Amino acid sequence: MSARTHPSTRSTAAGLDTRLPWWALALPVAAFIVLFLLIAGPGKAHAIGGDPAVGHVLERIQQTLSL
């Protein structure tokens, strides 16, 4: 059983009219800006003097993955 296809209401004589909603461009631009600011501004980042065991665990994981 075949289904009927309805013509698009946004079709023009030259072809389909491809319009994006405003958020389809705004969200990727906002995400790019936030990530760029996180990468570009590491001057205020400070290392936390925490438990040295965590550092040893991370070193072991890095050694294991580099094999």
Side-chain angles (χ1 to χ4, degrees), residues 21-64:
W22 65 269
W23 51 264
L25 184 62
L27 289 179
V29 168
F32 175 79
I33 290 171
V34 168
L35 290 175
F36 181 74
L37 290 175
L38 286 173
I39 293 170
K44 295 182 180 178
H46 299 286
I48 297 174
D51 188 15
V54 175
H56 294 296
V57 170
L58 293 175
E59 287 178 15
R60 291 286 185 182
I61 291 172
Q62 183 182 10
Q63 290 172 356
T64 304

